Amino acid sequence: MIIILTPSATEADIEELVQNLKDHGYGVHISKGVEKTIVGAIGAQDEAKAMIAEQLSSLEYVERVIPILKPYKLVGREFHPDKTIIRVGNVDVGGQKVVVMAGPCSVESEEQTIETAKAVKAAGASILRGGAFKPSTSPYSFQGLGEDALKILAAAREVTGLPIITEVMDTRDVELVAQYADILQIGTRNMTNFSLLREIGLIKKPVMLKRGMASTIEEWLQAAEYIANRGNYEIMLCERGIRTFETMTRNTFDISAIPAVAALSHLPVVADPSHGTGRWHLVPPVSKAAVVAGADALLIEVHPQPDKALKDGPQSLKPDTFAQLMADLASCARAVGRHL
Ligand code: PEP
Ligand code: MN
């Protein structure tokens, strides 16, 4: 249930309420808004729920008690009506600025990574992407350079000042990846890896959770709930396309998921038009559409020589095409009251 406190509730009132809820076996999550404090009480075996709700309603500092009917609570708008803004380095994701994260699909070498990092920074990107541990459908394709790639990403951050986002695939690597990354990425194939989600929930770093390629929006939000439930609320949701009958594109980018999930959840929404389409020439139009649909950030693959890329060359933009896209995106952002 959600307990909305009156604006005059004091710290002592909150403490008393929290103790009361814990005594009833609830897990307690507090959200302090500008005007009001909202307390989420989750997880008790509550046959006595109605009675407890009634008792709480009688407290002077309680304005209202609302049962939560949705299967996700902490990441839902009911619990936290205000949009969450996640600070990464000196960049805010979820604010007025549309944030662009760009870089190669995979870290292939120091030279390729730093060259790309400099190019995307010059074009206006504010976060560098690059895969160190690559989830591959085939065991015979490139699996990533692992920790060597993490070191290269750290070097690129040193040179450019750009924070880095990179994927973690395995619970055993969470600590290692968290040592280097500014944002940990959970890939589409791991959205329902509940052990990994639980592990990520324990770290104190922002995370970007991609939507499973065959997952509904509700399942995606429940995956995010796994992370929040363990105490990590710094979650971004990334739409990266879903599986449909269409074969002309690599995935079908679900543009409607952006406003849909933004209405249901307070978490920032990222769009990945690179994996969403699989074709570089579709990346600019879909990026623009995503910004207009309300995406808080974009994740775009850029490679200095896409024809030599070890992975995802066909969907990678060349630096000059990326720079042109960045210039074009400014007016799209302005059209929806934001900036780039
Ligand atoms: C990626 O962004 O590097 C990636 C592997 O994406 P996805 O998990 O969406 O396939
Ligand atoms: Mn890729």
Side-chain angles (χ1 to χ4, degrees):
M1 65 187 133
I2 284 171
I3 302 139
I4 302 176
L5 305 189
T6 61
S8 61
T10 63
E11 284 301 319
D13 294 336
I14 297 173
E15 244 172 67
E16 180 187 85
L17 177 65
V18 168
Q19 196 50 54
N20 186 347
L21 290 166
K22 285 186 177 162
D23 292 345
H24 279 113
Y26 285 101
V28 181
H29 300 265
I30 299 175
S31 163
K32 286 195 174 147
V34 189
E35 285 176 20
K36 284 178 190 165
T37 297
I38 301 180
V39 178
I42 290 166
Q45 291 296 330
D46 37 19
E47 296 81 28
K49 209 183 212 171
M51 183 194 74
I52 297 169
E54 202 173 88
Q55 288 172 349
L56 295 175
S57 306
S58 72
L59 291 166
E60 231 166 75
Y61 53 84
V62 169
E63 186 176 290
R64 222 153 20 112
V65 180
I66 311 169
I68 311 181
L69 303 171
K70 297 216 167 66
Y72 47 87
K73 302 165 197 297
L74 301 173
V75 304
R77 284 268 189 189
E78 286 178 341
F79 172 56
H80 195 299
D82 299 335
K83 180 120 195 164
T84 287
I85 296 178
I86 301 177
R87 186 136 200 113
V88 183
N90 56 3
V91 189
D92 278 338
V93 184
Q96 279 302 104
K97 178 183 161 84
V98 177
V99 171
V100 178
M101 317 184 195
C105 175
S106 311
V107 171
E108 300 167 3
S109 70
E110 180 153 340
E111 194 189 5
Q112 164 250 12
T113 305
I114 290 182
E115 182 185 343
T116 313
K118 285 181 176 164
V120 299
K121 183 183 179 174
S126 30
I127 295 175
L128 175 67
R129 67 147 288 147
F133 295 94
K134 294 305 301 178
S136 287
T137 302
S138 164
Y140 304 112
S141 60
F142 183 57
Q143 306 286 309
L145 299 179
E147 188 170 2
D148 288 342
L150 296 174
K151 290 182 176 151
I152 292 172
L153 286 168
R157 173 175 53 204
E158 196 64 33
V159 172
T160 59
L162 297 179
I164 55 185
I165 176 168
T166 195
E167 179 164 353
V168 57
M169 289 169 55
D170 194 307
T171 49
R172 291 167 295 188
D173 297 327
V174 170
E175 230 175 275
L176 174 75
V177 177
Q179 274 171 34
Y180 292 91
D182 299 289
I183 307 172
L184 290 113
Q185 173 173 329
I186 310 249
T188 190
R189 294 162 187 82
N190 268 319
M191 190 206 85
T192 49
N193 181 343
F194 300 113
S195 319
L196 182 61
L197 299 178
R198 280 195 210 97
E199 204 64 29
I200 290 287
L202 294 175
I203 60 158
K204 297 276 168 275
K205 276 247 160 116
V207 25
M208 187 186 78
L209 176 67
K210 287 200 165 193
R211 177 181 180 182
M213 61 181 87
S215 299
T216 64
I217 291 173
E218 190 164 278
E219 288 162 344
W220 185 18
L221 288 169
Q222 288 181 86
E225 188 79 10
Y226 262 92
I227 301 171
N229 179 267
R230 287 293 199 100
N232 187 350
Y233 296 98
E234 295 196 305
I235 309 161
M236 306 166 197
L237 299 166
C238 177
E239 165 60 39
R240 50 80 68 201
I242 50 175
R243 280 272 166 94
T244 67
F245 51 80
E246 185 54 71
T247 54
M248 201 59 77
T249 46
R250 184 177 176 184
N251 290 286
T252 296
F253 186 78
D254 184 2
I255 194 88
S256 62
I258 296 170
V261 82
L264 296 169
S265 173
H266 52 88
L267 300 174
V269 183
V270 184
D272 173 355
S274 305
H275 295 89
T277 63
R279 291 168 181 253
W280 72 267
H281 70 97
L282 299 178
V283 171
V286 175
S287 300
K288 294 173 198 168
V291 169
V292 174
D296 297 297
L298 296 170
L299 183 74
I300 298 176
E301 288 187 342
V302 178
H303 197 288
Q305 290 174 289
D307 58 322
K308 303 256 168 15
L310 296 183
K311 221 170 165 45
D312 290 352
Q315 68 192 35
S316 299
L317 296 184
K318 290 182 185 164
D320 57 348
T321 318
F322 176 69
Q324 183 58 52
L325 170 60
M326 289 297 286
D328 295 346
L329 280 173
S331 56
C332 297
R334 236 178 291 123
V336 289
R338 304 179 83 164
H339 62 93
L340 205 61

